[in-house]
Amino acid sequence: MNATFMHTFIRPLAILYPMAKRWLHRFHGGVFPQTYKSLSLKHPIKSTPIPERLILPVKQLSGQKVAWHVAVGDTVQKNQCLVRAAKENKKGIIVPIHAPTSGVIHAIEMRPLPHPSGLNALSIIIKPDFKDSALNNALNVNGEVPETPQQLKDILLNAGIVGLGGAGFPTFAKLPNQTGIINTLIMNGAECEPFITCDDVLMQTHAQDILKGAVMIAQILGIPSIICGIEENKPAAIQAMNAAAKRLTKKTSQINITIQTLPAVYPMGGEKQLIQELTGIEIPAKTHAIDSGLLVFNVATFAAIFKAITLGEPLTQRLVTVAGLGLKHSYNTYALLGTPFLTLANAGQPTHSIQDPLIMGGPMMGFQVADNHVPVIKTTNCILVQPPKPATEIMVMPCIRCGECMDACPVNLLPQQMFWHSQAHEFDKVEKLNIFDCIECGCCSYVCPSHIPLVQFYRHAKSEIKHNHAEQQAAELAKQRHEFRLARIEREKQEREARIKAKKAAVKKQAQKPSDASSAKSAAMKAAAARAAAKRATQQESKQEIEQSAQADEISQNSPPPLSARQKAIDTAKKQAAAKVGSKVAPNKDPRTSAKQAAKKAAAMAAAKRRAQTSLKNDSNVTAPKTEAKTDSNANPTQTTEHSKQTMNDKRTQAMEAAKKRAAERKAQQESP
Amino acid sequence: MSPLTPQSSPLSSPFAHNNQSVRQLMFKVQLAVIPALLVHIYLFGFGIVIQWVLAFATLLVVEFTMLKLRNRPVRPFITDMSAMITATVLVFCIPAGAPWWIIVSGTAFALIFGKHIYGGLGYNPFNPAMLGYAFLLLSFPVQMTQWTAPTEILDYAVSFTNSLHLIFTGNLPQAALGANLDMISAATPLSQLQIGLTQGQGVTESLTPIALEAQTHYQNGSVINGFFYSTAQFFSLNSWAWVNVAFLIGGLWLLAVRAIRWQYPVGFLSSLSLISFIFYTIDPNTYPPVDFMLLSGGTMLAAFFIITDPVTSSTTPKGRFIFACGIGILVYVIRTWGIFPDGITFAVLLMNIAVPLIDQYTQPRVYGHK
Ligand code: SF4
Ligand code: SF4
């Protein structure tokens, strides 16, 4: 095969030029940190005693309610459900929590979370009774493979299974609802982080379970092929998985299982990196693997799925690597969820008394916990115990633009440029450099000869950008609401005016017609008044046109129905003054508004204007005749008798003509000034 | 230095590092110069050592003063060795017998105006060594072109004490073979070529004196015996070419240890070869051959030690290549049609200006973006 051909040439070359190893994998960059995996592989899985207290944080997202199944003082059995998302939550992102052992609910209180933020969370504290009496088949399964995806999802939700590899996203929510969407199921056994060996050990000991879990999912979702990627530095795991796969393929011949050996490079275990390596597919930006027909789970997740489906056992413990250069005895153990970190760390015979914060996860992507008593949670794959830092730390130097970071970045970003702009607080430029594609793998910081904590800068920049966007969005929303209101006020006013004008024009027309001598005088007077009023109204209208285009930020409250044209003119003048002030203030108000938003705003304004104009037109065509007809019949009874012979039809035609004439007149008047 | 840690605690990942540092990087570059230094001493005498010591002393004084003035920690920055590279490059650029104040003023200028003025390491837009060299070339054109002749032409090696005397007094001691300054200086092949061409001679005629002279000496057996004698004859390389070869060797090592990136030498040398090949093919009598272009002047020094300065070059992979190609072409243009015999300085400075532009238009494709 081509790949092996490449390997035979590149391996020897790597002796001369170590970075030639980068040519062995398909994604860009990558680094080769010392793995230290043998530290914890030397020893068999250690059994650790049940701790004095178990702490089970209840992850609460804002606005999501939970339903408590227990209260303080209750006695619980192992695997008993303690709390789950309340029924009314549509997006049940919270998965249920089960008791890892039997005991008494000691308290429900705030405890620190194992999270970079160091936040506290409401936690259930269990005081174990050390009997470990368990509920069998707590999930009430029949041991059969579920028929439909929905049944599968229900089981996974009830079992409280989340992705055990890293982010801890609920597994049921990742699954599609229909069969046939996924064409490849990928098992992530890369485990590229230094020190961590829990997946390796799990594959060595539970290869059968893992693969069975995968095959069940493949059967339910109609997935034709399963690929398992394992880094080449785990020969025992590869062997075990291969053997298990061979046995399984005999039974389930319709599903194609491949165990693939991967070059050992960090971050091979990154979802997108693994997919690219195994399938050559590059997940397009802003889409998920599932959009490309791929489903990726960690091997440990498959083992948990298997247990849930066949034994009805919820997720209450996991394999954890407790390792580090600060331990004499690094080991792997099945830790009950809720076991405090320090308990596990102390079981590894630390070389010093543990004062420094422990690290959850590996050295590349892990984080220091705020409190060493934080509990093991579902995503805790490793507790890293490093010796105390030497007092003289290597000084951070300025960026020398060497580009090592760029060559190491698996996403092919420009870390140095993102750094310069983050440092200069030019967050818009950082965003343009696609910072949100950064997976925070730490390769760039790892190779930076200037020892710049690059990832720290990116985290900071990301949060700043998010914050700015939230602010911008709020401002935009307020602005839209305001503009909508302005447009509505404007429209209402114009409608009113049109009505009044139509009325006046009608009066005028009537006056111009030959009439009785007795009413001639009063008609003439009325006509004069109407003309004057109409003229003033037109003037005012042209003023309003100006006002409309100006961006009034402040406007006097819904103006009362205009009584006289003069009153209206005064009002308009006031409003214009206000508008002027407003438009002066407006540009300074939101300097962040980008050109795009300005364009959007302009479009919205234009639309509002158009709406107003159409309504105006409709008014002159529809409302006017009606008003006129009314005027005809009610306002001038003398004339009505004169024209009594005319049919209603004639009247309407007349009224329409009058309206047309009026419109023409108005147009002419508009054009003249 | 700027406060480099954003206000977010606790310290975040990664907690591992490959233990590379700026100092190590610069040290590797420094090591890679050694072959060229040895060859230079062997072929041109001890002048360069004295120049180098002078440059180093200047460097220490200037760096210390500037860091103190700029209120920066002295120790980490003086030991980052970046100034050493600047000084070393400058030493190789000036004539080995140039008066002492040349290298002193050049180094001081390069460090102060090439680096510290802009905010120190990492912030300078121009290659400091090239800025210093340009300053010297424009200010002291005479001294800067009095090149010490190689021993193969001189017939004897300028001794250490004689070099010392020359550099500090501007003259050779009378006792020393009664030689005067003119006798030990010679035009470099590049300037020879330029002079020849301006006088209407063809390339071959302009270059024959050097080749002939060397040839004669070899035949007389008066030149230092041994390895260089025979190999030089074999490759028919002149002394300047030998220094270039030594730089090439050091440079290849730098490539292997990833102290420099391949885009620079490959881009620079290939563009220079290509353009000289094209013109040489068009008119071999007016334009020098490719191998001459590659092995004369500071070509290899530039390819591996000057244009590779990461601070002042483009940072994207494609950008680096374009940057290097640009320099290659400019060097040829200046060498062939410009008034300076070697165009590297100005070619580098010109391309330094173009760096932000290149960077902007050569952004690599990010994963998942078409
Ligand atoms: S690795 Fe460090 S010094 Fe080099 S370019 Fe990146 S940020 Fe700058
Ligand atoms: S942390 Fe981000 S920028 Fe750095 S190498 Fe990883 S993906 Fe690239």
Side-chain angles (χ1 to χ4, degrees):
Chain A
M1 217 178 85
N2 193 19
T4 42
F5 175 79
M6 284 276 284
H7 282 225
T8 42
F9 276 92
I10 292 170
R11 296 272 170 214
L13 191 65
I15 300 166
L16 272 178
Y17 181 63
M19 281 301 136
K21 282 186 276 182
R22 279 198 181 140
W23 304 334
L24 288 173
H25 54 267
R26 283 160 122 167
F27 59 88
H28 182 262
V31 293
F32 307 92
Q34 199 174 339
T35 59
Y36 296 107
K37 299 229 185 210
S38 58
L39 285 182
S40 50
L41 281 178
K42 274 191 298 214
H43 309 287
I45 298 180
K46 191 178 164 119
S47 60
T48 40
I50 297 172
E52 290 295 308
R53 295 277 183 282
L54 288 174
I55 308 154
L56 300 165
V58 182
K59 212 173 165 195
Q60 262 178 315
L61 298 171
S62 58
Q64 291 206 334
K65 289 211 183 76
V66 292
W68 293 95
H69 290 206
V70 288
V72 178
D74 285 5
T75 313
V76 293
Q77 301 263 296
K78 181 182 165 106
N79 296 346
Q80 186 179 334
C81 182
L82 304 177
V83 60
R84 61 183 303 147
K87 282 270 183 328
E88 60 258 39
N89 284 339
K90 287 281 177 303
K91 292 186 277 174
I93 286 295
I94 312 171
V95 294
I97 295 170
H98 303 85
T101 185
S102 58
V104 179
I105 305 292
H106 181 69
I108 296 176
E109 60 188 31
M110 298 303 275
R111 287 293 179 94
L113 259 185
H115 190 268
S117 65
L119 287 178
N120 287 356
L122 198 61
S123 308
I124 305 169
I125 319 292
I126 296 180
K127 187 177 168 202
D129 58 11
F130 302 102
K131 291 187 199 122
D132 208 24
S133 61
L135 287 180
N136 277 325
N137 193 3
L139 302 176
N140 258 326
V141 295
N142 54 10
E144 298 288 313
V145 178
E147 307 266 298
T148 63
Q150 193 52 51
Q151 282 172 350
L152 171 68
K153 287 176 85 156
D154 287 344
I155 295 178
L156 299 188
L157 169 62
N158 290 338
I161 295 176
V162 301
L164 298 178
F169 191 72
T171 302
F172 81 93
K174 225 174 154 184
L175 293 175
N177 284 319
Q178 296 100 30
T179 55
I181 289 180
I182 309 292
N183 51 46
T184 310
L185 180 64
I186 292 176
M187 307 171 73
N188 189 347
E191 198 165 59
C192 53
E193 275 256 16
F195 290 101
I196 308 180
T197 55
C198 58
D199 287 350
D200 185 0
V201 168
L202 189 74
M203 284 189 283
Q204 289 180 33
T205 55
H206 289 81
Q208 199 74 13
D209 289 4
I210 296 168
L211 279 167
K212 274 185 186 161
V215 169
M216 282 175 187
I217 294 208
Q219 280 169 344
I220 301 163
L221 296 178
I223 303 170
S225 79
I226 299 174
I227 309 178
C228 177
I230 308 172
E231 275 193 1
E232 63 195 347
N233 55 15
K234 304 176 201 27
I238 295 169
Q239 206 186 353
M241 291 292 278
N242 262 326
K246 217 174 266 169
R247 252 172 286 148
L248 265 182
T249 331
K250 276 181 202 151
K251 286 184 222 159
T252 55
S253 50
Q254 75 275 29
I255 295 169
N256 192 6
I257 306 173
T258 326
I259 310 290
Q260 193 155 332
T261 310
L262 306 170
V265 54
Y266 178 85
M268 182 57 90
E271 183 173 288
K272 290 182 173 176
Q273 282 67 40
L274 185 72
I275 289 174
Q276 197 174 6
E277 185 66 31
L278 289 176
T279 66
I281 295 171
E282 204 174 292
I283 308 296
K286 299 198 177 71
T287 66
H288 297 288
I290 199 163
D291 302 323
S292 304
L294 302 166
L295 193 59
V296 187
F297 289 122
N298 185 272
V299 284
T301 314
F302 285 110
I305 291 171
F306 173 76
K307 271 191 183 161
I309 294 179
T310 54
L311 306 174
E313 216 175 87
L315 183 61
T316 57
Q317 64 173 18
R318 68 156 298 152
L319 203 51
V320 178
T321 305
V322 184
L325 299 176
L327 289 182
K328 284 198 205 93
H329 182 99
S330 296
Y331 64 98
N332 279 289
T333 183
Y334 281 106
L336 297 181
L337 299 182
T339 311
F341 275 23
L342 200 59
T343 314
L344 291 174
N346 280 330
Q349 302 164 18
T351 53
H352 57 283
S353 83
I354 296 169
Q355 304 290 334
D356 291 344
L358 296 166
I359 293 165
M360 171 166 144
M364 296 300 286
M365 282 183 91
F367 56 88
Q368 288 187 335
V369 293
D371 182 327
N372 285 346
H373 292 279
V374 293
V376 169
I377 54 171
K378 288 171 182 171
T379 51
T380 309
N381 50 4
C382 178
I383 297 169
L384 189 61
V385 191
Q386 295 292 54
K389 283 243 178 63
T392 51
E393 266 201 68
I394 295 164
M395 199 185 130
V396 173
M397 299 287 285
C399 170
I400 56 164
R401 304 168 48 117
C402 65
E404 278 287 354
C405 48
M406 169 181 72
D407 291 343
C409 179
V411 188
N412 211 5
L413 293 165
L414 290 173
Q416 74 278 46
Q417 297 198 7
M418 298 198 309
F419 161 64
W420 306 332
H421 294 311
S422 312
Q423 203 184 14
H425 290 260
E426 297 164 338
F427 294 120
D428 47 333
K429 288 187 186 161
V430 186
E431 201 184 352
K432 252 186 223 138
L433 288 163
N434 296 314
I435 191 169
F436 282 102
D437 285 295
C438 167
I439 55 171
E440 296 181 17
C441 65
C443 291
C444 47
S445 304
Y446 177 78
V447 296
C448 177
S450 290
H451 291 254
I452 303 170
L454 293 164
V455 184
Q456 211 160 324
F457 275 93
Y458 307 148
R459 288 199 186 105
H460 179 71
K462 279 182 187 175
S463 71
E464 284 291 310
I465 293 168
K466 275 185 195 149
H467 179 74
N468 289 353
H469 278 325
E471 266 183 7
Q472 245 170 40
Q473 237 164 23
E476 179 67 15
L477 206 68
K479 191 176 272 168
Q480 270 174 9
R481 259 191 233 127
H482 182 66
E483 270 160 15
F484 184 75
R485 188 170 149 261
L486 282 189
R488 197 195 62 216
I489 292 168
E490 195 64 37
R491 197 184 59 226
E492 282 172 3
K493 211 161 63 189
Q494 279 174 352
E495 277 170 14
R496 248 188 335 258
E497 267 156 30
R499 245 178 279 133
I500 289 161
K501 242 187 282 162
K503 197 172 170 180
K504 280 176 182 159
V507 170
K508 196 165 111 192
K509 208 192 157 222
Q510 291 287 340
Q512 277 166 349
K513 276 184 185 166
S515 57
D516 277 6
S518 59
S519 60
K521 203 179 165 188
S522 65
M525 273 165 68
K526 264 184 196 161
R531 258 200 303 275
K535 203 175 173 186
R536 256 175 278 162
T538 340
Q539 275 172 353
Q540 199 223 329
E541 196 182 56
S542 61
K543 269 181 197 164
Q544 270 186 0
E545 292 277 327
I546 301 164
E547 192 196 10
Q548 204 176 9
S549 55
Q551 288 174 28
D553 211 43
E554 280 284 319
I555 193 156
S556 49
Q557 293 309 306
N558 285 336
S559 38
L563 296 170
S564 68
R566 193 170 158 221
Q567 180 77 46
K568 267 196 318 195
I570 293 167
D571 278 354
T572 322
K574 271 187 198 161
K575 264 178 244 162
Q576 271 176 341
K580 243 183 215 165
V581 176
S583 58
K584 256 184 216 162
V585 176
N588 302 340
K589 216 183 160 192
D590 195 0
R592 264 195 232 104
T593 312
S594 60
K596 208 170 141 195
Q597 281 168 340
K600 234 194 251 168
K601 211 169 70 187
M605 283 295 287
K609 224 176 179 177
R610 239 177 287 134
R611 268 201 303 278
Q613 276 169 357
T614 4
S615 70
L616 197 69
K617 252 184 235 160
N618 289 343
D619 276 5
S620 50
N621 289 345
V622 181
T623 334
K626 272 187 200 155
T627 3
E628 209 168 343
K630 253 192 210 160
T631 328
D632 273 352
S633 53
N634 301 334
N636 282 321
T638 43
Q639 278 176 20
T640 321
T641 45
E642 276 277 313
H643 301 282
S644 57
K645 278 167 202 164
Q646 283 180 331
T647 59
M648 281 300 279
N649 227 350
D650 286 342
K651 266 188 196 168
R652 199 174 293 140
T653 339
Q654 202 185 354
M656 271 165 77
E657 261 169 20
K660 266 183 212 158
K661 230 179 245 174
R662 188 202 61 88
E665 206 176 295
R666 194 180 124 248
K667 209 173 169 191
Q669 270 173 332
Q670 255 181 355
E671 272 161 15
S672 61
Chain B
M1 210 189 62
S2 48
L4 268 170
T5 327
Q7 311 308 302
S8 76
S9 58
L11 193 73
S12 71
S13 61
F15 302 99
H17 198 273
N18 66 358
N19 290 325
Q20 290 290 315
S21 66
V22 175
R23 188 180 313 161
Q24 278 173 9
L25 202 70
M26 300 292 178
F27 185 68
K28 282 178 193 162
V29 179
Q30 200 62 54
L31 271 185
V33 175
I34 287 178
L37 185 71
L38 293 180
V39 171
H40 203 286
I41 293 171
Y42 190 75
L43 294 177
F44 291 87
F46 277 95
I48 192 151
V49 178
I50 301 164
Q51 300 284 5
W52 195 82
V53 171
L54 279 172
F56 188 61
T58 318
L59 171 158
L60 286 180
V61 174
V62 170
E63 286 282 285
F64 184 83
T65 327
M66 287 310 289
L67 287 170
K68 275 277 173 234
L69 282 178
R70 287 176 52 224
N71 234 339
R72 296 285 188 269
V74 173
R75 221 166 182 288
F77 279 102
I78 225 169
T79 53
D80 69 17
M81 308 241 304
S82 63
M84 281 267 275
I85 312 269
T86 305
T88 308
V89 167
L90 207 52
V91 163
F92 274 101
C93 287
I94 65 160
W100 64 271
W101 43 266
I102 289 272
I103 188 67
V104 168
S105 60
T107 311
F109 186 91
L111 292 177
I112 297 171
F113 292 95
K115 193 170 85 169
H116 286 294
I117 281 275
Y118 294 105
L121 175 69
Y123 296 97
N124 46 313
F126 297 108
N127 188 316
M130 289 299 100
L131 214 58
Y133 182 77
F135 158 78
L136 291 178
L137 198 61
L138 298 178
S139 315
F140 316 111
V142 179
Q143 287 83 352
M144 285 298 285
T145 44
Q146 274 182 348
W147 292 92
T148 313
T151 355
E152 62 181 7
I153 294 173
L154 276 186
D155 250 0
Y156 67 94
V158 185
S159 72
F160 186 76
T161 38
N162 282 355
S163 295
L164 211 58
H165 202 275
L166 176 67
I167 289 165
F168 282 97
T169 64
N171 264 312
L172 285 175
Q174 282 306 311
L177 307 158
N180 64 23
L181 200 56
D182 285 342
M183 282 179 67
I184 64 147
S185 53
T188 62
L190 271 178
S191 39
Q192 187 108 17
L193 175 70
Q194 202 169 37
I195 294 161
L197 285 176
T198 44
Q199 286 167 355
Q201 295 171 325
V203 170
T204 347
E205 297 132 67
S206 312
L207 291 181
T208 26
I210 301 173
L212 268 186
E213 215 163 336
Q215 209 64 44
T216 344
H217 287 292
Y218 289 136
Q219 272 152 15
N220 293 347
S222 57
V223 190
I224 325 98
N225 50 5
F227 176 76
F228 272 100
Y229 175 73
S230 47
T231 42
Q233 250 185 341
F234 181 69
F235 289 114
S236 75
L237 293 178
N238 59 43
S239 302
W240 291 280
W242 271 111
V243 177
N244 267 301
V245 170
F247 276 125
L248 174 67
I249 292 166
L252 290 178
W253 180 73
L254 282 183
L255 274 178
V257 296
R258 277 180 73 82
I260 60 174
R261 293 296 185 283
W262 63 271
Q263 286 97 338
Y264 300 115
V266 171
F268 174 69
L269 295 177
S270 58
S271 66
L272 185 60
S273 317
L274 189 70
I275 190 169
S276 38
F277 175 76
I278 292 171
F279 280 99
Y280 183 67
T281 324
I282 293 172
D283 185 359
N285 207 32
T286 327
Y287 301 105
V290 178
D291 59 336
F292 174 79
M293 264 296 164
L294 291 186
L295 292 178
S296 57
T299 308
M300 291 298 167
L301 176 66
F304 293 97
F305 295 87
I306 297 177
I307 68 169
T308 49
D309 171 29
V311 175
T312 55
S313 74
S314 173
T315 54
T316 61
K318 256 189 247 159
R320 285 166 174 167
F321 194 75
I322 294 171
F323 174 80
C325 287
I327 294 177
I329 290 164
L330 281 176
V331 164
Y332 189 83
V333 168
I334 298 173
R335 275 186 186 177
T336 316
W337 297 288
I339 55 161
F340 295 102
D342 204 344
I344 288 164
T345 318
F346 296 103
V348 170
L349 292 178
L350 278 174
M351 287 312 285
N352 283 163
I353 299 174
V355 160
L357 198 70
I358 298 174
D359 270 359
Q360 201 182 336
Y361 287 101
T362 53
Q363 311 249 329
R365 185 186 72 92
V366 175
Y367 172 96
H369 292 257
K370 280 180 272 88

